[in-house]
Every structure is written in C-alpha cells, then in structure tokens.
C-alpha cells in the first residue's frame, strides 16, 4: 500500500479499531461538582487525588476520607469525600467550562488561578544523561498507541510509577496521585508529549525537581520553569537532550 491509498475502515465497528477509551470524567467534592475532563477511565482514584492536589484543593491525600465512582449517562463521576471547607472552596473555584484532554486549564475563571501554586523549588542538579536515556528506552518499549505516559523516578533513576491516559495532563495527575497515596516522592518525570505551562505548574506544585518531555515546551512553560528553578529538559524524541531550565 502506498501513501496515495487509504485502508478503508469506514464500516469497521468502533470497538474493533483498538482506539484508546475516552469518557467524560467529573470530579466532585462531596456533592459539589468541580470540573469535567475527557480522560481514559483507568486509575481514576489516583487521577482524582493528583488533580485535586495540582489544583490546590488539597495538600495531602489524607484529606480525602473516601473515593467513590458512579457511572453517569455518558461518563463517570469521581466523588471525593472531603471536609466542608474544601467543598466550599471547590464551589468557589469550580471551572467555568469543561476541560478537555488536550488543555487541562480550559475554563479557569481567572489568569491568577492558572498561576496558582507556583513556587521556587530547592536547588537541584539535573539527572545524568544516561539516566534519561534509560528512561526514554522504557518509554519507547512500553508506549501504547493513542495514549500518553508519564514515568516517575527517584533520585537514583529507579522507576516509581506510571500514569497512562489519553490526555498528557491526566497522565501526570495519575502519577502524582499515586505518589501521594503511596508516600513516594518523585525526583523526575518523563512525559510522552510536548510541555505546556500546566505541566510545569503540576510538577512544581508537587515538588518534582525535574520534568522531561519528548518534544519542545512552549515559551511560557520555559519562562515559568526558569522562575521556579525547575530542571526542564527537552528530549527531542530521543535524538538529543536540551536543558532549558535548571535549579
């Protein structure tokens, strides 16, 4: 088959196309709906903890006493049982519009809310290139078509966890959520995507010293990473490594 021809799959049932699953996922604090995203319906408890943490709604996993999931007509609701003051805060900050898997900050009410949680990280040294090379090999061998992966490592380059989702923001939230629940801080995250401001924000808020992405970050992501002393690395899809910001 040449590139001038199509493989005709117009009559193939959707479930036989092997595409990644995607559903609307709504996060609620008690009975208050906070935000909806399009996400892969797996590891949703870790996603909910990571997303709530990244949004500044909680500061530790123990603030959530229970997590329940319910099927809705078209998607899933993940309900976090939290104290009344967190629910009130969720009502005040609830997203104006639904977010999507491609832009996690869509619907933020104010620009200041987009920058919330940014801080200057403690000084840190970027990981050795050989450590990133090994991480890239793992990402390449374990990648799934149509899905993003976030790989988490400790300071010695040992793998601590994985977040997988159709959205890169959701994949990182799942990884952060798992690290909070398991009490294993991350020293480096490698993402199978480009880097946006929100990914920098999530890494900084979680206290992750190093964020590496497959393709080039936005200029705003680089600027904020430098202000926050985040080690930000572009891996150029494994062809070379560029350190764009350092601690």
């Amino acid at each position: 088959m040449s590139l001038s021809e199509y493989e005709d799959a117009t009559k193939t049932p959707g479930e036989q196309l092997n595409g990644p699953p995607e559903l609307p996922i709504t996060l609620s604090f008690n009975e208050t709906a906070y935000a909806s995203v399009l996400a892969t319906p797996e590891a949703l408890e870790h996603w909910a903890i990571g997303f709530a943490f990244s949004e500044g709604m909680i500061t530790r996993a123990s603030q959530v006493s229970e997590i329940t999931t319910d099927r809705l007509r078209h998607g899933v609701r993940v309900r976090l049982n939290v104290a009344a003051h967190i629910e009130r805060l969720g009502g005040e900050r609830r997203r104006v519009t639904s977010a999507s898997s491609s832009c996690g900050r869509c619907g933020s009410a104010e620009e200041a809310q987009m920058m919330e949680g940014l801080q200057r990280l403690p000084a840190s040294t970027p990981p050795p290139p050989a450590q990133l090379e090994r991480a890239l090999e793992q990402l390449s061998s374990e990648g799934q078509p149509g899905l993003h992966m976030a790989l988490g490592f400790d300071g010695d380059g040992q793998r601590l966890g994985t977040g997988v989702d159709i959205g890169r923001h959701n994949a990182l939230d799942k990884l952060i959520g798992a690290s909070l629940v398991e009490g294993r801080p991350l020293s480096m995250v490698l993402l199978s995507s480009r880097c946006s401001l929100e990914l920098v924000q999530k890494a900084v808020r979680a206290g992750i010293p190093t964020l590496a992405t497959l393709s080039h970050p936005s200029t705003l992501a680089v600027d904020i990473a430098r202000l926050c002393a985040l080690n930000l690395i572009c891996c150029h899809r494994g062809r070379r490594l560029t350190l764009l910001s350092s601690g």
Side-chain angles (χ1 to χ4, degrees), residues 9-89:
T10 58
K11 305 299 183 183
T12 304
E15 61 271 15
Q16 296 180 19
L17 294 175
N18 298 319
E22 180 180 36
L23 288 176
I25 310 297
T26 298
L27 176 67
S28 294
F29 296 106
N30 299 335
E31 300 306 319
T32 300
Y34 175 70
S36 293
V37 303
L38 293 171
T40 302
E42 298 173 0
L44 291 181
E45 292 189 359
H46 285 161
W47 166 79
I49 293 289
F51 185 63
F53 180 85
S54 296
E55 292 281 294
M57 301 303 300
I58 61 173
T59 57
R60 58 189 183 278
S62 60
Q63 288 178 288
V64 178
S65 60
E66 184 181 15
I67 305 176
T68 58
T69 59
D70 302 298
R71 279 304 302 258
L72 304 176
R73 181 177 181 183
H74 298 293
V76 178
R77 180 182 72 164
V78 184
R79 182 183 181 274
L80 300 186
N81 192 355
V82 296
H85 73 277
I86 296 176
E87 182 180 9
R88 287 195 298 271
L89 184 63

Side-chain angles (χ1 to χ4, degrees), residues 177-185:
S179 74
L180 290 170
V181 170
E182 297 165 4
R184 299 197 294 179

Side-chain angles (χ1 to χ4, degrees), residues 105-174:
R105 273 293 177 181
C106 294
S108 293
E110 299 177 2
E111 183 177 292
Q113 187 176 339
M114 296 180 68
M115 300 296 181
E116 186 175 3
L118 295 177
Q119 59 185 322
R120 190 163 182 85
L121 296 170
S124 63
T125 302
Q131 183 174 318
L132 261 174
E133 184 179 13
R134 291 192 296 270
L136 285 164
E137 290 173 355
Q138 294 178 50
L139 188 67
S140 176
S141 64
E142 299 176 27
Q144 303 176 47
L147 294 172
H148 281 297
M149 295 187 71
L151 306 185
F153 301 86
D154 66 13
D156 296 322
Q158 297 299 309
R159 179 90 158 265
L160 295 181
T162 306
V164 179
D165 199 274
I166 197 168
R168 62 189 188 278
H169 306 91
N170 302 330
L172 181 54
D173 280 333
K174 289 178 179 180

Side-chain angles (χ1 to χ4, degrees), residues 132 135-136 139 149-153 188-192 212-214 235:
L132 261 174
L136 285 164
L139 188 67
M149 295 187 71
L151 306 185
F153 301 86
M188 183 184 79
V189 168
L190 173 62
L191 272 167
S192 62
T213 59
L214 273 193
C235 298

